[in-house]
Amino acid sequence: MVGATGIFSAHMIADLNASGSIKTSKPFDDDQVQPASLDLRLGDIAYRVRASFLPGPGKAVQDRINDLKLHEIDLSVGAVLERGCVYIVPLMESLKLPLAVSATTNPKSSTGRLDIFTRVITDQGRAFDTVPAGYQGLLYLEVSPRTFPVLVRQGSRLSQIRFREGDTRLNVAEHQALHKEQTLVFDQNAPVDNGVALSIDLKGGDRGGLIGYRSKRHTAVVDVDKKSALDILDFWEPIYDRGSGELILDPDEFYILVSREAVHVPPDFAAEMVPFDPLMGEFRVHYAGFFDPGFGHANAAGAGSRAVLEVRSREVPFLVEHGQTIGRLIYERMAERPQNLYGADLNSNYQGQHLKLSKHFKAN
C-alpha cells in the first residue's frame, strides 16, 4: 500500500519486508512487528569506539568505525556493555526503501526506562534517528548505557523504526478537532494545540505519595532480554512526596517519573513524545518517544494511560514542580488502521500504566 500518506501499519511493514525494502539476515521474530513500528535487532558484533559520530555526506559508517574503534565484541554468545562507554552495533535489518518512504527511529520503551542511550546511524547520515526517503544501506545502532551495565546478545531489541510517507503530522486545528471527537487527554485543563502538553505528577495521590524512582549506582548487570527478573530496590530508590509537590533533579542522576495527565492514542493515529522547549528547563525528558495506535484506548483495555518520563538534569541541579509542563505528545495519521492495537490483541507491557519501571523488574 505504498502511496498512502501516513505512518505504516504492521501489515504495511510486513509488505515492505516481503518486497525486499526491508532486508534481514534472519526472518522476523514473531513479535517483532508492532502496530506502527518495527523492532530492530542487534547483529553479532559490537564495536567499542572512542567517540560518538555522524558520518556525513559521502562517508560510510564502517569507515568511521575503523577510525575510532578500540576493540570488537562478539555478541553471538552475549556480552556486557559497560556504562559510560560508546558502542556501535550493525543491525540485522537493512533497507532499500521506495523513493517516497522515509523513516525515523527511537529507543524502545524498556530501553529508555533503563537509561540506555541509543541512536540509529545511516551511511552518509547528517542526523541521528533519521532515515531519508529512498535510503538504501545498512543500519547501525549507537548504544551507550548511562546508568546500569547491560547484558545484550545478537537479536536483542533496543530500538524501533517507524516508516512513513508524506506529511503525517497533524496541525493545531486537526489536533483540536481530534481531541474534541475522541479525547486525546483525560484532563479538561490540559491544553491541546500543537499536540498535547504533558506535565509532571509530583503528588502521587493515587500511589500513596510515590512520585518516582531515582536510579542507584554500582548495581548488578541488567539482562535486557529477561522479564520480571530483578528486585526493584536493588536498582532503584523510591521517591515520595513530602507535601511540597517539588523535586530537585541532581545532575548526572536518572529518574523515572510520570505525567499528571492520562492520554489516549486513537486507532487511526500514532503519536510521538517530543521534549518541551529546552529554554524552559535544564532537564532532558525524552528517550523513548513512540506511542502506538491504541495506547490508552478504551477498546484496548484502557481509559487513558499515563506517560512515563525518563528524566535527567543537565549540568546544574534543577527544581521541578507538580504540574510543570515537561513534554508534548504530537499526533500523526496512520496510512491505515492496524489490524492489532496496542494493548488489545498484543501482550503490551505498558497499557493502562501509571508509574511503571521497565519490564525487567518484578512487580511490587
Side-chain angles (χ1 to χ4, degrees):
M1 195 173 169
V2 173
T5 297
I7 300 292
F8 282 26
S9 68
H11 173 73
M12 297 172 70
I13 293 170
D15 285 347
L16 284 178
N17 180 231
S19 69
S21 296
I22 302 173
K23 300 181 179 181
T24 63
S25 57
K26 292 183 179 180
F28 283 165
D29 298 337
D30 290 341
D31 61 346
Q32 189 176 347
V33 183
Q34 305 299 320
S37 63
L38 172 70
D39 292 349
L40 297 172
R41 299 172 294 181
L42 301 182
D44 62 359
I45 191 169
Y47 300 94
R48 166 82 191 281
V49 294
R50 290 185 287 128
S52 175
F53 63 86
L54 280 168
K59 296 179 181 177
V61 174
Q62 189 62 53
D63 293 337
R64 287 295 194 194
I65 291 174
N66 294 338
D67 292 338
L68 294 170
K69 72 178 180 182
L70 299 174
H71 58 269
E72 301 178 10
I73 301 168
D74 182 7
L75 297 185
S76 63
V77 294
V80 173
L81 305 185
E82 300 290 348
R83 54 179 298 213
C85 300
V86 180
Y87 304 87
I88 305 295
V89 184
L91 296 172
M92 294 172 64
E93 289 75 30
S94 60
L95 300 176
K96 188 178 180 181
L97 294 179
L99 291 177
V101 177
S102 62
T104 54
T105 59
N106 236 312
K108 287 175 59 65
S109 294
S110 295
T111 304
R113 296 183 201 197
L114 290 175
D115 199 20
I116 306 172
F117 187 67
T118 68
R119 303 188 286 197
V120 168
I121 312 172
T122 61
D123 289 331
Q124 305 187 56
R126 299 181 184 214
F128 295 109
D129 287 328
T130 302
V131 181
Y135 176 76
Q136 300 184 27
L138 302 175
L139 298 173
Y140 299 81
L141 188 67
E142 176 188 329
V143 183
S144 182
R146 308 307 299 164
T147 292
F148 310 120
V150 295
L151 174 62
V152 302
R153 54 189 60 80
Q154 183 181 13
S156 294
R157 288 141 53 174
L158 301 180
S159 188
Q160 55 194 337
I161 188 167
R162 184 172 273 183
F163 300 93
R164 59 173 52 79
E165 185 168 345
D167 184 4
T168 62
R169 283 194 171 186
L170 304 188
N171 60 31
V172 172
E174 290 167 334
H175 273 106
Q176 292 173 339
L178 183 61
H179 175 57
K180 184 177 181 180
E181 177 186 345
Q182 301 201 48
T183 310
L184 302 182
V185 55
F186 293 86
D187 183 340
Q188 61 182 356
N189 296 317
V192 176
D193 40 57
N194 186 24
V196 174
L198 296 180
S199 65
I200 193 168
D201 178 6
L202 294 180
K203 292 291 183 69
D206 56 350
R207 299 180 301 277
L210 178 67
I211 61 172
Y213 295 91
R214 180 189 295 109
S215 63
K216 292 185 176 182
R217 297 177 181 268
H218 314 298
T219 68
V221 170
V222 176
D223 186 331
V224 300
D225 296 321
K226 286 189 177 180
K227 295 183 180 180
S228 303
L230 304 172
D231 190 297
I232 290 175
L233 295 182
D234 289 338
F235 292 81
W236 300 95
E237 173 192 350
I239 307 171
Y240 290 88
D241 174 45
R242 294 184 292 172
S244 67
E246 299 177 343
L247 177 65
I248 294 178
L249 303 175
D250 293 326
D252 298 322
E253 298 288 354
F254 179 65
Y255 300 84
I256 296 292
L257 305 171
V258 70
S259 70
R260 187 172 60 90
E261 301 82 7
V263 296
H264 166 222
V265 182
D268 293 309
F269 296 85
E272 181 175 0
M273 175 81 137
V274 297
F276 193 57
D277 187 345
L279 297 178
M280 299 297 292
E282 292 296 321
F283 53 82
R284 172 192 171 93
V285 70
H286 171 61
Y287 281 77
F290 288 164
F291 288 67
D292 276 335
F295 182 87
H297 188 59
N299 292 336
S305 293
R306 305 285 188 95
V308 167
L309 309 170
E310 302 119 2
V311 180
R312 268 188 175 276
S313 183
R314 301 185 191 275
E315 285 76 18
V316 297
F318 188 78
L319 174 70
V320 290
E321 299 179 274
H322 178 75
Q324 182 170 340
T325 301
I326 200 167
R328 188 175 298 278
L329 203 59
I330 304 293
Y331 286 73
E332 301 181 75
R333 298 176 189 84
M334 294 292 298
E336 65 175 17
R337 178 179 290 204
Q339 296 174 353
N340 297 320
L341 299 179
Y342 186 94
D345 306 299
L346 303 168
N347 185 23
S348 306
N349 291 296
Y350 305 119
Q351 181 69 304
Q353 70 182 358
H354 286 265
L355 175 65
K356 189 171 183 179
L357 295 171
S358 73
K359 62 187 178 184
H360 307 91
F361 298 95
K362 299 174 185 176
N364 287 334

